[in-house]
């Protein structure tokens, strides 16, 4: 008959078993929190990864692309400023800033080309800084993971917005803008080192934002009769500075 194991041998065995058990637990925890492999997600599945379960990574979707944002837990976890984005696709809120009710939607209907382009740029931000883990089946990707007509339309509109924005910047670079200053005590002031301050319409904004806006430009005296220019209210015709 073999002699019974010594107390030292039993202690070593228990220590080894304890170590093995701890390693298994760590590996299990790691399997839960590591980034999932890229795959297709349903809205119900994505909703589980909203940061309320500490055993799961935090995911969000933008334009149907799903990203692991766990490394930004302080922002995307409960209590964080961007927690509303977690576990869902709230693409519209990236530009609207509406984090309640109907604002937390993936629909971009009614947004201008400039606004749609901004949402596409947000997707680029997440692509560059976080881990891509797949596509959300729904508005932007079908059951096979193929881009939908809606996504293609969004990207076309965004591209158009980007082109219009570049065109507007190029055109505006040819006309010098005003200097400006604002203080609590004195209010606002615009002035020109050369020329006279005028408000000029930005026609490109109609296509970009659906609204007409103006910017302050410095015009030479012989250019002051051009259409689309407006003298600041309360400012002399040939004044080089105006209170606004």
């Amino acid at each position: 008959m073999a002699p019974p194991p010594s107390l030292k041998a039993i202690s070593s065995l228990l220590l080894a078993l304890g170590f093995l058990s701890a390693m298994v637990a760590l590996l299990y925890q790691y399997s839960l929190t590591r980034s999932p492999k890229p795959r297709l997600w349903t809205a119900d599945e994505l909703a589980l990864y909203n940061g309320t379960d500490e055993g799961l990574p935090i995911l969000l979707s933008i334009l149907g692309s799903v990203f692991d944002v766990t490394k930004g837990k302080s922002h995307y976890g409960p209590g964080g400023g961007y927690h509303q984005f977690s576990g869902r696709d709230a693409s519209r809120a990236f530009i609207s800033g509406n984090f309640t009710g109907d604002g937390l939607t993936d629909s971009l209907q009614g947004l201008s080309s400039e606004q749609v382009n901004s949402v596409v740029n947000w997707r680029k931000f997440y692509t560059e800084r976080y881990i891509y883990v797949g596509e959300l089946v729904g508005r932007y990707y079908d059951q096979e993971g193929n881009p939908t007509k809606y996504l293609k339309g969004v990207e076309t509109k965004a591209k158009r917005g980007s082109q219009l924005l570049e065109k507007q910047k190029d055109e505006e670079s040819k006309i010098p803008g005003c200097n400006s200053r604002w203080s609590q005590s004195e209010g606002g002031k615009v002035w020109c080192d050369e020329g006279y301050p005028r408000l000029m319409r930005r026609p490109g904004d109609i296509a970009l934002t659906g609204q007409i806006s103006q910017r302050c430009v410095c015009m030479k005296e012989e250019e002051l009769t051009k259409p689309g220019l407006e003298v600041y209210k309360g400012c002399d015709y040939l004044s080089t500075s105006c209170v606004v």
Side-chain angles (χ1 to χ4, degrees):
M1 179 180 297
S6 65
L7 184 59
K8 183 178 180 180
I10 293 175
S11 297
S12 298
L13 178 61
L14 291 175
L15 183 62
L17 289 173
F19 177 77
L20 181 62
S21 177
M23 288 299 296
V24 169
L26 286 172
L27 288 172
Y28 176 70
Q29 186 67 23
Y30 172 74
S31 69
L32 290 177
T33 57
R34 66 178 178 176
S35 295
K37 293 182 179 180
R39 66 178 181 87
L40 294 177
W41 298 82
T42 66
D44 289 341
E45 289 173 332
L46 187 62
L48 299 175
Y49 294 79
N50 65 356
T52 57
D53 187 340
E54 294 187 357
L56 296 175
I58 304 174
L59 308 182
L60 65 75
S61 175
I62 177 169
L63 299 178
S65 293
V66 184
F67 298 93
D68 183 339
V69 296
T70 307
K71 70 177 183 179
K73 185 176 181 180
S74 60
H75 302 294
Y76 298 98
Y82 303 127
H83 176 58
Q84 297 91 337
F85 290 114
S86 301
R88 57 160 59 96
D89 191 317
S91 295
R92 190 183 191 88
F94 280 95
I95 189 64
S96 72
N98 182 357
F99 300 140
T100 60
D102 295 339
L104 294 171
T105 177
D106 61 352
S107 172
L108 303 187
Q109 184 176 0
L111 295 185
S112 67
S113 58
E114 181 186 33
Q115 291 172 319
V116 172
N117 184 50
S118 294
V119 177
V120 170
N121 285 335
W122 270 110
R123 183 182 61 181
K124 181 181 178 182
F125 167 84
Y126 283 96
T127 300
E128 294 174 346
R129 289 169 175 78
Y130 292 96
I131 302 172
Y132 170 79
V133 294
E135 298 94 24
L136 177 64
V137 175
R139 189 183 300 273
Y140 297 103
Y141 291 93
D142 63 22
Q143 296 285 348
E144 303 298 322
N146 299 312
T148 63
K149 291 182 179 179
Y150 192 92
L151 177 58
K152 294 176 181 178
V154 162
E155 292 178 335
T156 298
K157 190 172 185 178
K159 184 177 181 180
R160 176 60 176 162
S162 179
Q163 292 171 339
L164 287 171
L165 190 60
E166 287 302 314
K167 181 180 179 181
Q168 178 171 283
K169 287 180 179 179
D170 181 61
E171 291 176 350
E172 291 184 353
S173 68
K174 300 173 183 176
I175 304 176
C178 304
N179 301 302
S180 63
R181 182 177 66 219
W182 186 91
S183 68
Q184 186 73 38
S185 58
E186 299 179 3
K189 177 183 177 181
V190 295
W191 73 95
C192 295
D193 296 325
E194 294 183 9
Y196 306 92
R198 289 292 187 272
L199 285 168
M200 173 180 277
R201 290 184 179 182
R202 308 173 81 173
D205 278 6
I206 299 176
L208 284 168
T209 67
Q211 300 176 343
I212 297 176
S213 67
Q214 297 173 306
R215 74 180 186 108
C216 184
V217 296
C218 294
M219 306 298 292
K220 298 176 182 178
E221 186 172 355
E222 61 269 24
E223 299 173 323
L224 296 180
T225 56
K226 286 185 176 182
L229 297 177
E230 180 182 336
V231 180
Y232 275 93
K233 186 177 180 180
C235 192
D236 292 338
Y237 187 78
L238 291 179
S239 176
T240 58
S241 65
C242 301
V243 176
V244 295

